[in-house]
Amino acid sequence: MSKKFVRNLRTMVTMSLAFAACAITFTLPAQDKQPQWKDREEYDTADAAFKDANATTRLQKLDKWKEKYPATEQIQLRQDFYVITYPELKQGRQTIAAAQDILKDRPNSFLALRGILVAVQSMLNPIEPADLDLLQRTAEYMKANEAAIYAPTNKPFNYDDKTWAALATQMKPVPLQTMTWIWGQRKGKDDARIEADTTKYLKEDGTQAAVSYLLAGALLGQNKTNPEKQVPALYHYARAAAYDGANSLPAATRQTVEKSLTNMYTQYHGSADGLKELLAMAKGSTFPPADFSIKSDSEMKIEAAAKELTTKRKDAAKQLAKNVATELAALRSEEHTAELQSH
């Protein structure tokens, strides 16, 4: 189920980014008290690139402009067209380099931030750990700076006002979708980091049941070397299954998670006793209480054996006391009879 879940989120990311990309048209922006062209030749050279719908020849024209006019007041405009053109050619490394160049001076550039999201997730092979780190920093930055990135004054040069206003809503889930994709890439390779990241995320927004599910998987993935993590894993699976408020999993998915949880819980605990109480607790709280515990089947058997032994000892003690009392009574009776006979 987790592969399907991650695949669905990847589709959502692709759709959101595609929506953002389709909004761009290539026309030369008006110059009103803006950076100026050095001369008419520079304008014509740049204009030829802007009007070229073919990404391959457009890139050649951008390179020509850059070669003839390495220093230009239109540097931001040229940077933007590079970061738009490289993704069309599936040039991931170049896209990332162009985006990072922009972000040095314009950290809220939507075109650059989007370029990194697209490049890492769909253009790199292989994907290096450093690429995932960059993608994570980008997603976290976009989440933390949403208002500044999608402010009206930060609108890219060729988005109309209506499309730009709608884009903020369209892109809102993308940082989490991106993080989910990253966690999927790291699954089984760095579960401890996934645990730390998802825990941090849930402390900021405890309603994200999908993140609870991913946290549970990361904890369970460490079970062989850290068996103590199995109990909190069961709790977070219960959270994903039981929570039905804002940002909860779809009802059908919750049922599937609960079915899996029931099997895991019964195998660990030895029975389904206490599972309903666990689900009720997890529904109301993102994290378990500090003293939360679930006894394992072996612990339950040891407790049962100890209880049985204690009961047997008590029964044996009672029987011994009863036997002693009987013997004492018999002895006293014999002594009393002998005393009577002596008289």
Side-chain angles (χ1 to χ4, degrees):
M1 181 187 65
S2 92
K3 289 184 179 179
K4 181 179 179 182
F5 175 73
V6 172
R7 187 166 59 251
N8 289 341
L9 282 179
R10 186 181 302 172
T11 300
M12 293 170 66
V13 173
T14 302
M15 291 175 65
S16 297
L17 294 175
F19 174 88
C22 289
I24 297 176
T25 56
F26 299 117
T27 57
L28 194 65
Q31 299 296 313
D32 181 16
K33 296 183 179 179
Q34 298 294 322
Q36 299 299 305
W37 303 99
K38 184 175 182 179
D39 51 36
R40 180 70 196 193
E41 184 180 358
E42 181 186 16
Y43 177 92
D44 290 340
T45 303
D47 189 46
F50 299 154
K51 290 179 178 178
D52 194 340
N54 184 294
T56 300
T57 52
R58 186 192 323 131
L59 179 59
Q60 294 171 356
K61 292 171 183 176
L62 287 171
D63 288 341
K64 180 180 178 181
W65 175 23
K66 185 176 182 180
E67 182 180 354
K68 293 184 68 175
Y69 297 89
T72 176
E73 291 187 25
Q74 304 292 345
I75 185 63
Q76 292 188 1
L77 187 60
R78 187 162 67 195
Q79 288 175 327
D80 288 348
F81 265 91
Y82 268 116
V83 86
I84 289 169
T85 302
Y86 284 133
E88 293 184 50
L89 298 171
K90 305 298 182 184
Q91 296 183 10
R93 292 296 172 194
Q94 292 88 336
T95 300
I96 291 172
Q100 291 180 311
D101 192 36
I102 292 172
L103 294 173
K104 292 175 184 176
D105 298 315
R106 293 181 284 155
N108 293 325
S109 168
F110 170 73
L111 297 179
L113 294 167
R114 187 201 63 190
I116 291 174
L117 297 189
V118 173
V120 176
Q121 294 181 82
S122 63
M123 299 180 195
L124 302 185
N125 185 19
I127 298 173
E128 303 294 340
D131 299 324
L132 294 178
D133 292 342
L134 171 63
L135 184 61
Q136 179 168 345
R137 290 194 301 272
T138 302
E140 290 174 344
Y141 184 87
M142 293 180 74
K143 180 177 183 292
N145 296 276
E146 181 180 292
I149 293 170
Y150 301 106
T153 55
N154 198 49
K155 179 170 64 72
F157 65 90
N158 264 20
Y159 276 79
D160 61 66
D161 292 340
K162 183 178 179 180
T163 302
W164 181 244
L167 190 65
T169 301
Q170 293 287 331
M171 294 294 292
K172 189 175 182 63
V174 168
L176 176 55
Q177 293 165 0
T178 302
M179 288 303 303
T180 299
W181 186 86
I182 293 169
W183 295 327
Q185 294 295 307
R186 289 177 176 153
K187 184 178 180 181
K189 303 172 187 176
D190 198 349
D191 288 318
R193 182 167 181 178
I194 299 173
E195 177 191 353
D197 287 344
T198 51
T199 297
K200 177 183 177 182
Y201 202 101
L202 287 169
K203 287 180 178 179
E204 296 173 358
D205 183 0
T207 69
Q208 297 292 345
V211 181
S212 292
Y213 180 83
L214 292 168
L215 172 55
L219 289 165
L220 197 62
Q222 302 173 73
N223 182 50
K224 289 184 179 180
T225 54
N226 297 276
E228 72 280 0
K229 292 184 181 291
Q230 187 165 355
V231 169
L234 292 173
Y235 183 93
H236 289 290
Y237 276 129
R239 172 67 177 176
Y243 176 69
D244 58 1
N247 300 315
S248 62
L249 296 176
T253 304
R254 294 202 305 273
Q255 291 176 0
T256 302
V257 175
E258 184 173 345
K259 183 177 180 180
S260 298
L261 170 64
T262 300
N263 292 334
M264 288 185 287
Y265 182 94
T266 302
Q267 183 177 2
Y268 179 79
H269 186 59
S271 72
D273 293 344
L275 179 57
K276 288 184 178 180
E277 291 76 7
L278 170 60
L279 288 166
M281 179 189 296
K283 181 178 181 179
S285 178
T286 306
F287 292 98
D291 59 351
F292 176 74
S293 66
I294 300 173
K295 292 178 180 177
S296 67
D297 182 40
S298 59
E299 289 174 325
M300 295 291 290
K301 288 178 178 177
I302 291 172
E303 283 192 3
K307 184 177 180 180
E308 182 180 358
L309 180 60
T310 299
T311 299
K312 287 181 178 179
R313 286 175 176 172
K314 288 181 179 179
D315 291 344
K318 288 180 181 179
Q319 186 61 47
L320 177 61
K322 183 178 179 181
N323 292 342
V324 170
T326 300
E327 291 177 5
L328 287 175
L331 181 60
R332 291 193 187 98
S333 177
E334 290 176 3
E335 291 177 348
H336 182 64
T337 300
E339 184 179 353
L340 290 175
Q341 290 177 347
S342 67
H343 292 291

